Amino acid sequence: MKTRIVKLLRGAATLLLCLLVLAVVLDRLFPLPLPDGSRGSTVVLARDGTPLRAFPDRDGVWRYPVAVEDVSPLYIQALLTYEDRWFWRHPGVNPLALARAFAQWIGHGRLVSGGSTLTMQVARILDGTPHSTLGKLRQIARALQLEAHLSKRRILALYLERAPFGGTIEGVEAASWAYLGKPASRLSRAEAALLAVLPQMPSRLRPDRNPDAARAARDKVLARMADLGVWTRAEVDDARVESVAARALQPPLSAALLAERLHAERPRERRITTTIDAELQRALEARVSDYLGRLPERTSAALLVVDNRTLEARAYVGSAEFGDEQRLGHVDMVRAWRSPGSTLKPFLYGLALDDGLIDSESLLVDAPQSFGGYRPGNFDLAYNGPIGAAEALRLSLNVPAVDLVDRIGPARFAARLANAGLDLRLPRGAEPNMSVILGGTGVRMEDLVGAYTAFNRGGVAGRVRYARDDATIDRRILSEGAAWIVRDILEANPRPGYAPGTFDPGTRPRVAWKTGTSYGYRDAWAVGATRAYTVAVWIGRPDGTPLPGQYGAVTALPLMFQVVDSLPRNAIAAAPSPPPPSVSQREVCWPLGLAFDPAHPELCHQKHTAWVLDGVVPPTLAERDATSWSAGLLHLRIDAATGERLGPGCTRKHMREIEVARWPALAYPWLSRDLRRRASLPALARGCADDGLGTTLPLRIDGIGPDAAIARAPNSSTPATLHLRALGATGEVQWLVNGRLAGSTQGAGVFAHAFEQTGPQTITALADGGAWAQVRLRVLR
């Protein structure tokens, strides 16, 4: 008897061993067809998990990667209760369920219920087994193989990610967004029950096509949940009240160009979480689309909103309409190289502050000048004469900016920007020149925004971050004090249409803003920085064709302010911030630019309150190319009796010394009579040798006398025209009419001008050396 038992045990062990060996061999010969985690569909998500854009796999299937913990526990309860109550306990197959299915097959001659466990369903999804007896056996084998290799949570995760939900939708996360418009983590009981039963017959139960059938199937699940005591009867009754949504299936398409960009940069990632605020993104996409409806055809736009504290992008609109072929909506203008117009000027003034060249109220001269043959003009062709640095920046004047970049050095300026992450693109082989400050280069919006964050980050620029795991890269571009002064200057610029003191903005945030327009009206820019956010808007045509009459202040700026006003805000955003320790206020005097000295009030023709850096008050910049009166402060001896100046070696019985503060020569046409008098030299005393201070070549306008009146001929439509010459000039002469550049001549060449408008007119002739002449007249008709 014992021998027989031993033989039986040995036989059983041998059989078991053979079966085990066979199982191992079959496992090696037929490995599990597990999905490749690095291939397949990809979903790009907003920071809160909202899908922005999904990229199907090569079979066109929409599937969002999801983990068990990312799904509502209510769905897990409904799924396991309805599909496989013993999931956590069985080895992959449920013997009782299989026995029931086998008995039904014997009694009916066909399969009535499959007795499939959730593991078996995963096996069928992965292996594609047919609905037949052999297919069922293969499914059982694969289920056992799954249980041997994977944990229960991994098997459940495979089901959650790949269960069929109708059409090209797979997985509970994709189905939840497609049918319900919400993540699977926020499902109600009714929604959980609906999605739990949908994979049984996805084509027949799709709620977008058969809501009644879907509701009946859902209620069947709810009834079972109540019968088994998983949910209370009251909870189930409440769930039954919910209607079945009938949403049309539309794949998400928000921040489409950013999603495309990140997908290309991370091709092996299936789930990419961005920093984008989904609600803000949708709102701004709609706002941009609506705004462009009033602009010329083929116009596109780009918009970027960045959180200053984290450098995270909150909204990214790469084009006006992603699918609009006419607007080239597939071109991402956030990354495109475009001319920045005048948007680089704040960095130039900040660098000039750091270099000790200027303070906020340094005297600059906005007048026609030549910089080595380069003659910049202002956008409106008008000139302002003597002007403070802050106002020159706010008005975006070109001549003062070119003057500063020439003194700093275009190559050094470009290098400082590049070191902070703001690269400038120049033609191949070209070196930075003075035109870079007026837009004669290319920049990318994202680099520009990263640099502008420095004005609210203590002078530290940064690279914009688009994904949660993007590294934070900070680079200093300006000192804390220079950044604060520039920001204060730009914040003081009132919004267009709101005069200071006439409108209470309440809690509107303080905005340091700057516009820019490229040559030929190809690019319109507006960049605004609040305490919390930096916003940039670009409007133009991606192919570079001009948009005549569209420029930064009228085209891009209104949209930028609309965006700023729609962003979250608090009381701090509307309050001015105190200056850092390196910044202080001083009374400075024009024309010398030095601090006010009570002992010499005669040298202070105009007093201004300036922000200075590290207590340094720089003098007015030295004149360039002026042949006379280049010394700002003259020390003179005069005859106390007559007031005449005394030349070298010339003496009088009663003499005294005086100081005269001189204005830059190019500023004189804009000075009042009193300022000219205070800056004028006393006449040279008779009998004294010439001291060389009065050698300016006299310049006189020939062709009309002072205070003349002119008119067009009677019964003629031809405007009154003057032909003038600048006598005494040998080089180029710039002619201004009412402060606007009207032409230039060489030497005593003839300047002709037709007067379209009636009323007072002022004509100014400016020579290269600083000499000037001016006449005033009146046009009668």
Side-chain angles (χ1 to χ4, degrees):
M1 187 67 179
K2 289 183 178 180
T3 303
R4 182 179 297 176
I5 292 175
V6 170
K7 288 182 178 180
L8 288 174
L9 290 176
R10 285 178 178 175
T14 302
L15 179 61
L16 183 62
L17 180 61
C18 291
L19 290 175
L20 182 61
V21 171
L22 179 62
V24 171
V25 171
L26 291 175
D27 182 66
R28 295 294 181 89
L29 292 176
F30 304 99
L32 279 171
L34 294 176
D36 184 356
S38 64
R39 301 177 62 184
S41 60
T42 298
V43 61
V44 180
L45 308 170
R47 61 199 301 253
D48 64 352
T50 302
L52 297 175
R53 185 179 179 186
F55 296 88
D57 62 15
R58 54 189 173 187
D59 296 324
V61 174
W62 301 92
R63 183 190 307 114
Y64 300 174
V66 66
V68 175
E69 56 270 17
D70 297 328
V71 178
S72 168
L74 296 175
Y75 175 77
I76 302 297
Q77 288 178 342
L79 174 67
L80 296 184
T81 300
Y82 190 73
E83 290 286 353
D84 191 353
R85 284 187 292 156
W86 309 104
F87 173 75
W88 299 108
R89 301 177 185 178
H90 62 62
V93 295
N94 187 332
L96 295 178
L98 286 177
R100 184 183 68 249
F102 181 75
Q104 291 173 342
W105 177 61
I106 294 295
H108 296 84
R110 59 182 177 86
L111 288 174
V112 176
S113 64
S116 294
T117 63
L118 205 64
T119 307
M120 292 171 65
Q121 293 183 46
V122 172
R124 186 179 69 249
I125 292 171
L126 297 180
D127 203 25
T129 55
H131 292 277
S132 64
T133 302
L134 290 177
K136 181 64 69 174
L137 293 175
R138 177 176 166 182
Q139 188 178 338
I140 291 172
R142 285 298 194 190
L144 294 173
Q145 192 178 14
L146 278 169
E147 294 280 352
H149 284 274
L150 304 178
S151 67
K152 289 285 189 179
R153 289 183 65 85
R154 175 62 179 139
I155 294 171
L156 179 58
L158 284 171
Y159 181 88
L160 297 178
E161 184 176 314
R162 295 182 174 269
F165 281 88
T168 58
I169 303 298
E170 286 188 3
V172 65
E173 185 73 6
S176 183
W177 282 108
Y179 295 118
L180 306 174
K182 60 171 28 176
S185 61
R186 301 199 338 241
L187 296 175
S188 67
R189 284 181 171 82
E191 293 164 341
L194 172 65
L195 295 186
V197 73
L198 187 54
Q200 282 197 348
M201 291 180 288
S203 297
R204 293 177 56 188
L205 299 180
R206 279 179 55 166
D208 60 323
R209 294 181 179 177
N210 304 300
D212 293 336
R215 184 187 185 100
R218 180 204 68 179
D219 290 348
K220 182 179 177 182
V221 176
L222 291 174
R224 180 172 298 184
M225 299 298 288
D227 293 342
L228 295 176
V230 180
W231 295 341
T232 67
R233 184 65 63 180
E235 290 171 337
V236 168
D237 290 342
D238 288 341
R240 288 178 184 272
V241 176
E242 290 188 28
S243 61
V244 172
R247 287 169 50 96
L249 291 184
Q250 292 183 344
L253 196 63
S254 189
L257 288 171
L258 174 62
E260 187 174 276
R261 169 181 181 175
L262 294 178
H263 181 47
E265 292 173 355
R266 306 172 179 215
R268 300 182 67 83
E269 293 189 28
R270 306 277 66 84
R271 188 182 180 96
I272 303 172
T273 302
T274 70
T275 62
I276 296 298
D277 183 312
E279 185 176 349
L280 179 64
Q281 177 73 27
R282 287 192 295 266
L284 294 186
E285 285 179 350
R287 185 180 294 274
V288 169
S289 179
D290 178 69
Y291 188 83
L292 288 183
R294 68 196 72 171
L295 295 177
E297 61 179 10
R298 297 188 292 115
T299 303
S300 189
L303 167 67
L304 188 60
V305 179
V306 173
D307 186 315
N308 293 330
R309 183 179 61 84
T310 63
L311 294 174
E312 294 178 346
R314 294 290 179 249
Y316 184 116
V317 181
S319 66
E321 295 285 351
F322 175 66
D324 191 333
E325 294 184 4
Q326 187 182 31
R327 298 180 188 271
L328 300 182
H330 63 283
V331 180
D332 188 352
M333 301 309 298
V334 171
R335 292 195 291 170
W337 291 94
R338 305 296 295 200
S339 167
S342 295
T343 56
L344 300 181
K345 288 177 181 175
F347 304 108
L348 172 66
Y349 281 77
L351 186 55
L353 284 163
D354 276 333
D355 283 356
L357 291 177
I358 61 171
D359 54 50
S360 70
E361 293 299 329
S362 286
L363 171 61
L364 304 176
V365 180
D366 180 36
Q369 297 186 54
S370 176
F371 301 89
Y374 180 54
R375 293 182 174 275
N378 289 323
F379 185 77
D380 60 358
L381 301 180
Y383 294 91
N384 298 267
I387 194 167
E391 191 67 7
L393 174 56
R394 283 192 287 264
L395 295 178
S396 196
L397 301 179
N398 288 342
V399 175
V402 173
D403 187 11
L404 287 177
V405 80
D406 184 39
R407 296 173 192 272
I408 289 173
R412 177 168 171 260
F413 175 65
R416 285 289 296 269
L417 295 182
N419 182 66
L422 179 52
D423 291 318
L424 305 184
R425 171 171 284 187
L426 299 168
R428 181 173 298 179
E431 296 294 330
N433 54 50
M434 286 176 285
S435 70
V436 298
I437 199 57
L438 306 185
T441 183
V443 302
R444 296 180 299 191
M445 174 184 279
E446 59 187 359
D447 297 337
L448 188 64
V449 171
Y452 261 81
T453 62
F455 296 120
N456 283 281
R457 302 179 74 240
V460 178
R463 179 183 294 175
V464 179
R465 301 172 61 222
Y466 300 116
R468 280 183 178 177
D469 55 355
D470 281 349
T472 299
I473 300 177
D474 291 331
R475 295 173 180 173
R476 180 165 294 282
I477 189 171
L478 299 172
S479 70
E480 182 183 14
W484 187 93
I485 292 174
V486 172
R487 188 188 74 199
D488 184 75
I489 291 172
L490 297 178
E491 284 182 347
N493 207 10
R495 296 187 181 204
Y498 296 101
T502 60
F503 180 74
D504 181 11
T507 59
R508 275 187 171 179
R510 296 172 65 88
V511 185
W513 60 273
K514 185 73 186 71
T515 61
T517 307
S518 68
Y519 176 77
Y521 300 98
R522 290 173 170 82
D523 305 276
W525 292 88
V527 187
T530 70
R531 298 291 185 272
Y533 301 98
T534 298
V535 178
V537 171
W538 171 90
I539 293 177
R541 286 173 174 158
D543 60 4
T545 55
L547 278 172
Q550 304 295 329
Y551 51 95
V554 301
T555 307
L557 189 62
L559 178 57
M560 188 274 289
F561 275 120
Q562 288 180 23
V563 174
V564 167
D565 291 340
S566 68
L567 297 175
R569 70 185 74 165
N570 52 39
I572 298 176
S577 63
S582 59
V583 174
S584 58
Q585 277 190 323
R586 298 288 296 273
E587 297 288 333
V588 300
C589 293
W590 288 4
L592 301 180
L594 302 177
F596 175 69
D597 184 357
H600 297 280
E602 72 279 4
L603 300 181
C604 192
H605 298 183
Q606 288 184 357
K607 188 186 296 184
H608 299 266
T609 302
W611 293 111
V612 301
L613 195 59
D614 298 321
V616 176
V617 182
T620 298
L621 297 172
E623 291 188 73
R624 66 177 74 244
D625 301 330
T627 57
S628 60
W629 308 126
S630 58
L633 180 62
L634 297 179
H635 300 271
L636 305 175
R637 294 179 306 126
I638 64 170
D639 186 328
T642 65
E644 297 173 326
R645 79 175 187 274
L646 303 175
C650 192
T651 61
R652 293 290 188 270
K653 182 178 180 180
H654 299 287
M655 299 182 298
R656 65 186 179 92
E657 292 187 354
I658 64 169
E659 292 180 321
V660 176
R662 297 287 297 179
W663 290 76
L666 289 174
Y668 274 77
W670 285 269
L671 298 181
S672 66
R673 181 173 299 178
D674 178 64
L675 290 178
R676 294 177 189 173
R677 179 189 58 79
R678 295 178 64 180
S680 63
L681 286 174
L684 184 65
R686 290 186 179 183
C688 290
D690 190 357
D691 54 12
L693 297 179
T695 57
T696 299
L697 291 175
L699 196 67
R700 182 169 63 86
I701 295 177
D702 180 56
I704 194 170
D707 301 320
I710 63 173
R712 58 181 171 82
N715 301 320
S716 173
S717 60
T718 303
T721 302
L722 287 179
H723 294 79
L724 308 174
R725 294 187 301 161
L727 302 181
T730 57
E732 186 169 15
V733 177
Q734 304 285 329
W735 293 86
L736 284 73
V737 177
N738 299 324
R740 298 172 67 90
L741 184 64
S744 64
T745 58
Q746 287 290 329
V750 175
F751 167 68
H753 184 76
F755 293 89
E756 302 282 351
Q757 302 295 327
T758 60
Q761 311 285 333
T762 301
I763 301 176
T764 306
L766 291 173
D768 277 346
W772 61 279
Q774 191 173 79
V775 294
R776 292 182 173 84
L777 56 95
R778 176 176 293 276
V779 178
L780 300 180
R781 64 173 185 269

